[in-house]
Amino acid sequence: MTRPPTSSRTDKGVRGHELDLHVTFAQPLPREVALAVLRSAEGFTVDLYAPHAAAGSPVPSARLTGPLRDAETLRAVLGGWLSGQVRTVEVGLHGFLRSSTGQTDWMPWRRNQVLSRAQVGDVRFEEGVKYVLE
């Protein structure tokens, strides 16, 4: 009896790490102002966290995701945010598994590191480490 060939391919999606930023504003901002503040971090997908019931409701926080292009530039952006209208930032290279259908499963953070807002320069963007700047 001849068996059909079996595939040795185990490709179940794309794995990697992506920059994941959660920004909490010092006070909820109008949508346009929130987008203007976040604009300094170019090239990221932005999700504003605001109640869906009222389109004009203030935005208390946002999430930005995408590839890390330039760590020094991003540190400068984080410092600017924290000296202005942002209360806290959670940032790190988050592990993920993206299925062939496009669904993304995020891996748990390996470690959390809490830093003061003055320690932006200590953010190392290590894979699986979430830095909390407050």
Side-chain angles (χ1 to χ4, degrees):
M1 173 176 202
T2 305
R3 297 179 126 183
T6 58
S7 173
S8 62
R9 184 175 170 173
T10 59
D11 183 20
K12 295 183 180 177
V14 178
R15 296 176 190 209
H17 287 83
E18 186 172 73
L19 191 69
D20 191 4
L21 284 147
H22 288 262
V23 178
T24 303
F25 299 111
Q27 60 185 357
L29 301 174
R31 177 182 169 81
E32 298 77 27
V33 175
L35 289 172
V37 169
L38 300 173
R39 190 169 296 127
S40 59
E42 296 178 15
F44 295 104
T45 301
V46 176
D47 293 313
L48 299 177
Y49 294 146
H52 292 290
S57 54
V59 177
S61 59
R63 180 179 188 196
L64 292 82
T65 55
L68 175 62
R69 292 183 177 88
D70 181 7
E72 285 306 315
T73 300
L74 186 57
R75 283 188 197 99
V77 168
L78 296 174
W81 285 348
L82 290 165
S83 65
Q85 300 197 25
V86 173
R87 181 171 33 118
T88 61
V89 175
E90 297 176 16
V91 59
L93 290 174
H94 206 170
F96 68 86
L97 173 61
R98 191 163 291 129
S99 72
S100 59
T101 61
Q103 179 178 344
T104 301
D105 290 322
W106 294 98
M107 301 299 122
W109 293 103
R110 289 183 327 184
R111 184 173 52 129
N112 294 329
Q113 187 167 351
V114 179
L115 302 172
S116 74
R117 57 184 51 239
Q119 294 178 290
V120 172
D122 293 340
V123 175
R124 299 285 170 232
F125 301 108
E126 301 170 57
E127 292 179 351
V129 178
K130 177 173 66 172
Y131 294 88
V132 180
L133 297 158
E134 50 187 10

